Amino acid sequence: MGRANSSCWTAWLAVVLVHWCLCVRERNRVVVEASHVVYESLQSVPASVVDSKLRTGYHFQPPKHWINDPNGPMYYNGLYHLFYQYNPSGSVWGNIVWAHSVSTDLINWVALEPAIYPSKPFDIKGCWSGSATILPGNRPVILYTGLDPRERQVQNIAYPKNLSDPYLREWVKPDFNPVIAPDDGVNGSAFRDPTTAWRGPSGHWKLVVGSKWNKRGKAILYRSRDFVHWVKAKHSLHSARDTGMWECPDFYPVALKGTRGLDTSVYGHGVKYVLKVSLDITRYEYYTVGKYYHDKDKYVPDATSADDNTGLRYDYGNFYASKTFFDGKKQRRILWGWANESDTSDVDKAKGWAGIQMIPRTILLDSSGRQLVQWPIEEIESLRGKHVVVEHKRIPSGGFFEVTGIDSSQADVEVSFDVSGLEKAEDFDPSWATDAEALCGRKTADVKGGVGPFGVLVLASANMEEKTAVFFRVFKAYHKHVVLMCHDPTRSSLRAGLYKPTFAGFVDVDIAKTGKISLRTLIDSSVVESFGAKGKTCITSRVYPSLAIGEDAHLFVFNNGSTDVKVSELNAWEMKKPLMNGA
Ligand code: DQQ
């Protein structure tokens, strides 16, 4: 009996020990999980030239080298600030500092010296992404992720050295950092990218840090009274199984009605919340719209928002690590997002630059309450130059026409299509509903349809050997029509071996009712950024034409469906170059 008891006891102890060891292994794992591909041999190879051939003209970028995530955007005392992850010594990811630029209009930018760089034990191995919060008394503060000597990810605070410097050039990192370190229940190699903090009815400051535990993605919540001492909440703000590491979380309120953005601490009636996460495993971003229960500090996505990687996306293309901020000047919420190159690192090294920030977008809740709508900030229109208009033009099945009179390698194009003959729409297989991208890959622009594909061909060579198609295709489902919006760059370049993924999203419109759909596309040499149905569905692609460059780039409107479509109005503007960080 005694022996039986003791062997039961030993078996139980063994189980407990194995479990404990597994947890400790997870807890103490301080290996840096690279969320970027690391090319050690190229990290510190400064650019000898900067190749301007496919360099963007009006998108944000520094004069040379690698950039990634936008960090700590804010509007402060008449200036917009943008910080971003930057490699001062090469055109691939590495040696990351917080580069810093300022602007009065979010379009023209002046580069300042880096604001935050590794210098203290709490960030000696890296200064990664983070956010800005404006504290009472108009005092900005930054929280960012530092990598300590053990490469543990910790959260640090930084203040402007001199608030009377209008540019906030120098930032101080107090020695009491880190203000948040991973405790036993947190995976110290997956613990980064603190959000802007908000204040709820309790008066506490709150923020979340992105993380994961095994495969469960998490937004770990911290509270503070003084912004220096932070206490981890018992429960995460939110988590979701099998989503992996949540990078760059963003959490903010949106108004149910009207066209105003909300400051991050606004709460009360008429307000919903958005939680966005950048999923390291897919390298795409997803958001949900939901309710935030302040008393319990719980966020619950609405039933209409899928809470996994089939969910809503700001952008269905090359757009990552985004961050919003509240612009007190114009009472709007603005979204910044990063688009990396889809070319090889060797080409990036040879051209001396890599990565851009997308044109900032205003962000609002759609009137349906189910999703967001985004639109390029109005200031971008100040860059519009030469203008062409096309009105009431029918495009027969299989037809196209060219839009001439502007240099369309750097352009802003808005088209409104009248759509009819919906009875000819192709049948929609319900199994396609969760994978718009795969559907677009199968039904590219060259695949003839019923209603559509129709749209524009941008960065096209004169004879269309090269073209990037941006289009809609309408399907007939059981009780409604389904509209697919697609980017098809499969024929964007004659260069061999390029990565040319198709990207797509569905557009939540009742096309049978409206009979219309609009498209806006911003073209800038190697980037195509599109907004369908006034910003309900957005897609970004990076493309690298070999012929359709500068004045050799053409713009067409096409219809490869079996019914006619009509362009009720098309406006296209050549875009001027703003001041871009002294480049
Ligand atoms: N980039 C940063 C990280 C973040 C990742 C490092 C997302 O803080 O998680 O450069 O692109």
Side-chain angles (χ1 to χ4, degrees):
M1 179 82 166
R3 215 180 297 157
N5 258 347
S6 97
S7 62
C8 268
W9 168 245
T10 319
W12 178 80
L13 192 67
V15 170
V16 170
L17 269 177
V18 168
H19 180 73
W20 181 79
C21 288
L22 287 175
C23 296
V24 168
R25 257 212 349 240
E26 178 76 15
R27 268 185 228 145
N28 290 348
R29 208 151 53 96
V30 284
V31 185
V32 184
E33 286 175 1
S35 65
H36 300 274
V37 187
V38 179
Y39 301 97
E40 267 180 43
S41 61
L42 300 180
Q43 275 182 346
S44 303
V45 183
S48 45
V49 283
V50 175
D51 184 349
S52 59
K53 204 166 52 197
L54 290 173
R55 209 170 141 77
T56 58
Y58 61 96
H59 281 75
F60 182 99
Q61 61 184 155
K64 59 182 178 178
H65 293 155
W66 164 276
I67 74 170
N68 57 288
D69 319 357
N71 290 157
M74 64 175 174
Y75 177 72
Y76 181 71
N77 284 359
L79 282 182
Y80 293 100
H81 293 254
L82 180 67
F83 305 87
Y84 55 97
Q85 298 274 286
Y86 177 59
N87 182 353
S89 321
S91 306
V92 300
W93 186 88
N95 309 305
I96 293 292
V97 302
W98 274 47
H100 183 192
S101 295
V102 287
S103 168
T104 52
D105 58 5
L106 291 162
I107 298 295
N108 293 282
W109 290 95
V110 174
L112 305 174
E113 51 274 39
I116 299 176
Y117 42 85
S119 65
K120 300 263 182 140
F122 49 78
D123 67 6
I124 198 70
K125 293 276 180 123
C127 294
W128 288 10
S129 288
S131 309
T133 305
I134 315 261
L135 299 179
N138 204 20
R139 290 173 300 126
V141 55
I142 280 170
L143 271 159
Y144 70 98
T145 299
L147 269 71
D148 75 6
R150 288 197 293 145
E151 300 200 342
R152 238 179 15 143
Q153 295 168 15
V154 299
Q155 317 313 321
N156 302 320
I157 207 167
Y159 300 102
K161 186 169 181 188
N162 175 6
L163 274 182
S164 57
D165 168 14
Y167 299 112
L168 305 179
R169 282 191 175 90
E170 288 180 79
W171 289 73
V172 178
K173 304 180 290 189
D175 285 331
F176 58 69
N177 276 313
V179 290
I180 304 177
D183 65 19
D184 275 0
V186 170
N187 176 348
S189 63
F191 182 56
R192 54 184 180 268
D193 311 336
T195 58
T196 294
W198 66 94
R199 234 171 11 163
S202 70
H204 281 97
W205 286 105
K206 296 166 190 181
L207 57 79
V208 294
V209 180
S211 188
K212 68 168 178 180
W213 188 263
N214 297 322
K215 284 195 226 141
R216 178 174 277 275
K218 281 178 160 213
I220 305 182
L221 184 83
Y222 289 82
R223 299 190 187 98
S224 172
R225 282 254 169 231
D226 58 4
F227 226 87
V228 172
H229 301 91
W230 292 88
V231 177
K232 193 174 90 177
K234 266 208 189 113
H235 305 281
S236 301
L237 178 76
H238 188 55
S239 69
R241 57 197 287 231
D242 294 334
T243 49
M245 174 63 193
W246 285 6
E247 297 191 310
C248 304
D250 199 8
F251 184 60
Y252 55 89
V254 281
L256 270 165
K257 289 208 174 82
T259 54
R260 283 186 156 205
L262 300 180
D263 203 346
T264 317
S265 291
V266 167
Y267 58 88
H269 293 300
V271 171
K272 294 220 81 153
Y273 283 82
V274 173
L275 176 64
K276 181 279 303 186
V277 293
S278 309
L279 292 196
D280 196 18
I281 49 178
T282 62
R283 302 304 283 169
Y284 293 133
E285 303 199 303
Y286 302 86
Y287 73 86
T288 50
V289 178
K291 277 207 183 71
Y292 172 38
Y293 298 95
H294 284 270
D295 48 340
K296 300 192 190 85
D297 269 326
K298 265 280 157 211
Y299 168 74
V300 180
D302 289 349
T304 47
S305 279
D307 196 13
D308 55 28
N309 59 12
T310 63
L312 291 163
R313 286 166 52 184
Y314 285 155
D315 191 298
Y316 291 83
N318 184 343
F319 188 94
Y320 197 70
S322 69
K323 190 171 292 295
T324 62
F325 75 103
F326 175 68
D327 171 11
K329 180 178 174 191
K330 294 199 172 179
Q331 304 294 306
R332 56 188 175 173
R333 183 160 286 274
I334 292 180
L335 169 70
W336 278 105
W338 161 59
N340 67 353
E341 303 299 311
S342 42
D343 215 332
T344 65
S345 53
D346 283 332
V347 174
D348 292 348
K349 183 190 148 221
K351 72 185 199 293
W353 61 275
I356 55 174
Q357 307 295 353
M358 303 315 296
I359 297 300
R361 304 171 180 181
T362 51
I363 208 163
L364 286 173
L365 187 64
D366 181 52
S367 55
S368 69
R370 287 192 297 260
Q371 68 159 99
L372 299 169
V373 282
Q374 301 158 63
W375 201 242
I377 49 161
E378 59 189 7
E379 288 86 340
I380 193 76
E381 292 163 29
S382 66
L383 295 178
R384 286 173 170 175
K386 223 165 163 193
H387 179 201
V388 289
V389 186
V390 178
E391 280 174 320
H392 310 302
K393 198 165 169 100
R394 188 161 286 284
I395 324 177
S397 165
F400 65 87
F401 68 88
E402 181 170 2
V403 178
T404 53
I406 58 164
D407 172 353
S408 68
S409 68
Q410 210 172 289
D412 181 354
V413 184
E414 286 196 67
V415 204
S416 181
F417 293 97
D418 287 350
V419 184
S420 54
L422 288 177
E423 64 288 349
K424 296 228 177 101
E426 298 160 78
D427 284 335
F428 187 73
D429 178 336
S431 70
W432 297 340
T434 50
D435 203 342
E437 197 169 307
L439 181 56
C440 172
R442 251 196 320 273
K443 290 182 178 277
T444 56
D446 294 326
V447 179
K448 209 166 168 60
V451 181
F454 60 85
V456 292
L457 302 173
V458 304
L459 296 174
S461 55
N463 299 322
M464 291 197 221
E465 306 96 318
E466 291 187 336
K467 59 185 181 190
T468 293
V470 180
F471 63 89
F472 299 109
R473 191 186 273 273
V474 183
F475 295 91
K476 203 165 30 185
Y478 175 54
H479 57 292
K480 59 171 185 176
H481 288 92
V482 175
V483 179
L484 177 76
M485 177 175 160
C486 214
H487 263 200
D488 173 11
T490 48
R491 297 179 57 189
S492 57
S493 179
L494 292 180
R495 245 181 67 201
L498 267 173
Y499 175 55
K500 295 180 284 194
T502 49
F503 289 128
F506 293 108
V507 194
D508 188 11
V509 285
D510 185 350
I511 195 128
K513 196 161 150 202
T514 59
K516 282 184 178 301
I517 193 155
S518 70
L519 174 67
R520 181 170 181 191
T521 297
L522 300 174
I523 308 160
D524 197 359
S525 294
S526 60
V527 63
V528 181
E529 194 180 352
S530 303
F531 302 81
K534 294 269 170 246
K536 285 191 166 193
T537 302
C538 308
I539 308 180
T540 296
S541 295
R542 302 302 311 277
V543 292
Y544 306 96
S546 61
L547 304 172
I549 297 173
E551 290 185 349
D552 294 325
H554 297 254
L555 170 66
F556 299 92
V557 186
F558 80 103
N559 173 22
N560 204 14
S562 59
T563 54
D564 294 2
V565 290
K566 198 171 103 186
V567 170
S568 50
E569 185 170 356
L570 177 149
N571 288 280
W573 294 266
E574 203 170 295
M575 295 295 269
K576 294 178 241 167
K577 279 192 174 51
L579 296 177
M580 191 48 73
N581 290 316

